[in-house]
Amino acid sequence: MTEQSRNSAAVIHSHTYNIPLDNIDTDQIIPAQFLTTTEREGLGKFCFYGWRFNADGTAKENNPLHDHRPDRQQVLVTGSNFGCGSSREHAPWALLDYGIRAVISSRFADIFCNNSLKNGLIPVTAEEQVIEYLHKHPDSMVSIDIGARQLTIRDYGTFEFPLDPFSVFCLTREIDQLDFILQNEQEISAHEQRYGK
Amino acid sequence: MPQQSPSDSTLFEKVWQRHLVRDESAETPAILYIDLHLLHEVTTPQAFTELNKRGLRVRRPDRCLATIDHSVPTSAPDADGKRHYVTGQARAQVETVQRNCEEHGIVLHGWDSPNRGIVHVIGPELGATQPGMTIVCGDSHTSTHGAFGALAFGIGTTEVGHVLASQCLLQRKPKTLGIRIEGELAPGVTAKDVILHIIGNIGIDGGTGSVIEYYGSTVRAMDMDSRMTLCNMSIECGARAGMVAPDDTTFDYLHGRPMAPQGADWDAAVTDWKTLKTDPGAAYDAHVDIDATHIRSLVTYGTHPGMVVAIDEAIPSGESAESTADALEYMGFQAGKSLEGEPVDVVFIGSCTNSRLSDLRAAASIMKNRKVADGLRVLVVPGSEQVRRAAEAEGLDRVFTEAGAQWREAGCSMCIAMNGDIAAPGKLVVSTSNRNFRGRQGPLSRTILASPLTAAACAITGKVSSPQQFLEADND
Ligand code: SF4
């Protein structure tokens, strides 16, 4: 709604954090047991919980996910069809709080993509071969220019990626989407009258 | 209602056109009017907080319908009438939705309502879900309501706030995918098997960006409960929504339901609803043909709903061998072997996919006069309190309890396992729900998705088993 965590900086410079798996669903990003919260803050500690912790809450040993460096690695590189499953907006909330500002995948699930953009988490769709390169070179330095819709990978190349122009507009100009809808009050009322409701 | 549809358009386009407050352009998405907004406790608190922070009111509380289903206990209250929530936080979440609905004048089917239940079960049951509507809910299985020829889809919490405040949603027009399903289903094969077959076929991202329309003789022959099962799992192939054109089956179902139009309004509504179908000349953006006669009773073997096999069929080693191997390691299964005979720990019959009266009747038809296998835990959870009462009136509850299964109160229960109905680490659950993601039914639990008939067969044998053996035995 307020797009609270919106990126004021239109360019993200960061190293990558890699999870080379396809079809990571929102139950993996944040398991249902943490959904009884009525807040949107502080969910980062539950991000990828089932992969980082045992059923008894102790940390899993030798798990590469524990090596995530949020100060340095703010771009997640993953497999295809990221964010499938449940519509829980807790997934982008958890990722952002975990320190992720953009995700690079070859394909995103619809609702996840929508939810992410509303919170300023940038879904960057890239070709399979680009993803492959990034997985072969973990911790690569990348720049994501949201306004120009460009992904630059140091020592590799620059690629355009698709991003809904309206979302770019809102993200870069700090336009609030609800305000945008409410500006159409007359049309909304006219619609209600036309359909006699 | 004004007729805007040009001569050849799809069912989806007709519903889309009727709800455009403002059409999309290259720069801006469409503003789509929402007829019905369904709410539950999990995905709404942050939206109301935002609304209150901005000092906004709910624009059309009369177009909202709320329930409590995800976090609620499904055990009966204790002798003092107290409900035992899994955590204080779960209780607080339910109390939050109660308070929010009260403050904003929204009808909530809470503990005191005889109509409480899973949000996607009660909408149709009350007649709130109607052909040609736009319906949203902060829940991906909102696609269920498409069974009535509504355009129904899941949204996130920010969008829940948008709809509360404006009754509108910003949307890019999705593509359409026509899925034609032809032929008669074999005995014991259900809508659940059909949708698992489709997801296995087109893949779990095969519908991404699209609204599916299901049509063909198999769909026409389905009752509304089956059509809801079909549309419910559209999201599992990534589709935004699933739809079925309304017909006499739809109208018969809705007639006389409390929130459906009554009297002269009913006749006018049906006349209009009859126009909600894809014109012969209209084309879908993509198209798939399914031969239903070959579909068998299916189960999932992996960690997403597209990994499906027939019960006696060998598990494939998969296209992307790596992720299949990973999934099989998690599940403890082997490629090249079938699942038949695999020992099961828990059977769950419930969820918005398969918890309506006909689902419970199907399960009961196999469990009647039989006993659940030793040591097996079997939960039967009706989708709504109405379903529960109807089932009890037919004696289905006794069929289940006499067999050794638990008969519980309505809710999502072990479909999402956030209310305390949970499977222990490592346990294998045969479930009539819709997602077999890792840990979906409890940390490190393992899920096999199946139809109510298959789940009931597994409950009796204690192993992964086909329902056909029981159908044959009962016919002898
Ligand atoms: S039954 Fe399961 S899928 Fe359906 S609404 Fe509840 S949690 Fe979601």
Side-chain angles (χ1 to χ4, degrees), chain B residues 282-339:
Chain B
Y284 304 100
D285 294 307
H287 188 266
V288 174
D289 268 305
I290 301 286
D291 175 1
T293 58
H294 292 144
I295 301 177
R296 303 174 58 201
S297 297
L298 299 176
V299 284
T300 58
Y301 60 86
T303 52
H304 68 60
M307 302 171 98
V308 289
V309 280
I311 291 161
D312 60 0
E313 189 185 347
I315 295 173
S317 47
E319 295 156 22
S320 96
E322 200 177 316
S323 56
T324 305
D326 207 45
L328 289 180
E329 192 191 316
Y330 180 86
M331 293 301 292
F333 300 153
Q334 266 178 2
K337 269 186 67 182
S338 89
L339 283 177

Side-chain angles (χ1 to χ4, degrees), chain A residues 191 194-195, chain B residues 2-6 8-24 30-33 132 134 151 173 243 276:
Chain A
H191 179 92
R194 189 164 50 215
Y195 287 89
Chain B
Q3 290 296 304
Q4 295 179 308
S5 39
D8 285 328
S9 42
T10 60
L11 165 62
F12 159 75
E13 271 154 5
K14 290 180 186 181
V15 181
W16 175 265
Q17 282 299 334
R18 286 179 174 202
H19 292 88
L20 282 179
V21 168
R22 219 176 106 165
D23 208 346
E24 65 180 346
I31 299 179
L32 198 66
Y33 193 81
T134 43
L151 174 60
K173 191 177 181 182
M243 297 178 91
L276 295 171

Side-chain angles (χ1 to χ4, degrees), chain B residues 13 24 55 73 171 201 235 256 318 320 334 377 396 452 466:
Chain B
E13 271 154 5
E24 65 180 346
Q171 281 288 299
N201 239 267
I235 181 71
S320 96
Q334 266 178 2
R377 185 175 159 218
L396 301 185
S466 95

Side-chain angles (χ1 to χ4, degrees), chain B residues 416-465:
Chain B
I416 188 162
M418 61 182 285
N419 73 332
D421 297 347
I422 196 168
K427 296 290 184 204
L428 184 63
V429 190
V430 173
S431 178
T432 65
S433 57
N434 42 52
R435 286 188 175 139
N436 53 341
F437 298 148
R438 286 162 210 246
R440 170 81 177 182
Q441 300 190 289
L444 298 176
S445 63
R446 302 175 295 147
T447 301
I448 291 178
L449 301 178
S451 75
L453 284 173
T454 303
C458 299
I460 300 305
T461 62
K463 301 180 182 112
V464 175
S465 315

Side-chain angles (χ1 to χ4, degrees), chain B residues 69 77 244 312 345 389:
Chain B
D69 51 5
V244 173
D312 60 0
D345 302 301
R389 285 191 304 276

Side-chain angles (χ1 to χ4, degrees), chain B residues 309-394:
Chain B
V309 280
I311 291 161
D312 60 0
E313 189 185 347
I315 295 173
S317 47
E319 295 156 22
S320 96
E322 200 177 316
S323 56
T324 305
D326 207 45
L328 289 180
E329 192 191 316
Y330 180 86
M331 293 301 292
F333 300 153
Q334 266 178 2
K337 269 186 67 182
S338 89
L339 283 177
E340 193 164 26
E342 187 72 31
V344 172
D345 302 301
V346 182
V347 170
F348 171 64
I349 297 172
S351 90
C352 58
T353 313
N354 283 123
S355 64
R356 287 168 285 267
L357 189 59
S358 60
D359 300 312
L360 302 184
R361 282 181 183 152
S365 73
I366 287 185
M367 289 168 75
K368 194 176 169 106
N369 301 324
R370 293 195 172 97
K371 290 275 179 230
V372 162
D374 276 349
L376 196 72
R377 185 175 159 218
V378 182
L379 287 81
V380 187
V381 184
S384 70
E385 288 299 297
Q386 271 204 49
V387 169
R388 183 160 76 99
R389 285 191 304 276
E392 288 174 358
E394 294 183 10

Side-chain angles (χ1 to χ4, degrees), chain B residues 59-241:
Chain B
R59 182 188 175 88
R60 294 293 299 267
D62 59 318
R63 293 188 167 277
C64 297
L65 185 67
T67 189
I68 49 176
D69 51 5
H70 285 66
S71 306
V72 298
T74 55
S75 47
D78 65 18
D80 304 329
K82 249 186 89 173
R83 302 271 173 187
H84 290 275
Y85 286 86
V86 61
T87 57
Q89 206 179 41
R91 175 188 294 276
Q93 192 173 55
V94 167
E95 288 168 357
T96 301
V97 78
Q98 285 169 341
R99 194 175 53 245
N100 284 328
C101 287
E102 209 165 293
E103 276 171 16
H104 289 274
I106 293 169
V107 172
L108 169 78
H109 291 288
W111 288 122
D112 52 358
S113 167
N115 299 323
R116 192 188 65 77
I118 303 175
V119 65
H120 309 310
V121 176
I122 69 165
E125 201 170 65
L126 294 170
T129 300
Q130 294 164 23
M133 278 186 164
T134 43
I135 302 175
V136 296
C137 175
D139 195 287
S140 57
H141 292 99
T142 310
S143 57
T144 312
H145 307 265
F148 291 79
L151 174 60
F153 51 91
I155 57 177
T157 297
T158 299
E159 292 177 318
V160 168
H162 292 180
V163 180
L164 286 174
S166 70
Q167 207 56 38
C168 291
L169 202 60
L170 295 169
Q171 281 288 299
R172 285 276 167 199
K173 191 177 181 182
K175 295 199 177 318
T176 52
L177 168 62
I179 299 189
R180 182 168 76 193
I181 316 171
E182 291 288 348
E184 204 177 318
L185 295 173
V189 175
T190 69
K192 180 64 162 284
D193 302 297
V194 175
I195 188 64
L196 286 172
H197 174 82
I198 291 172
I199 300 163
N201 239 267
I202 69 172
I204 59 166
D205 56 359
T208 304
S210 302
V211 168
I212 297 175
E213 183 180 343
Y214 302 98
Y215 67 107
S217 60
T218 319
V219 183
R220 284 292 138 235
M222 284 182 183
D223 61 13
M224 289 315 294
D225 286 6
S226 298
R227 292 181 192 180
M228 283 189 255
T229 302
L230 189 66
C231 289
N232 172 275
M233 287 188 73
S234 302
I235 181 71
E236 308 312 334
C237 57
R240 288 241 70 186

Side-chain angles (χ1 to χ4, degrees), chain A residues 69-139:
Chain A
R69 304 235 336 245
D71 53 328
R72 173 187 166 88
Q73 300 170 320
Q74 295 167 353
V75 174
L76 171 65
V77 185
T78 177
S80 79
N81 198 32
F82 187 76
C84 59
S86 149
S87 62
R88 61 190 71 163
E89 200 162 315
H90 308 68
W93 295 338
L95 285 164
L96 283 162
D97 193 52
Y98 189 57
I100 303 295
R101 296 166 68 202
V103 184
I104 306 179
S105 168
S106 59
R107 190 166 208 178
F108 290 92
D110 279 344
I111 306 179
F112 176 82
C113 191
N114 231 333
N115 285 341
S116 294
L117 284 168
K118 294 219 163 27
N119 289 278
L121 176 70
I122 311 301
V124 178
T125 309
E127 301 278 339
E128 296 275 3
Q129 69 201 59
V130 174
I131 307 246
E132 220 169 279
Y133 173 87
L134 286 170
H135 285 320
K136 282 203 187 118
H137 301 83
D139 203 45

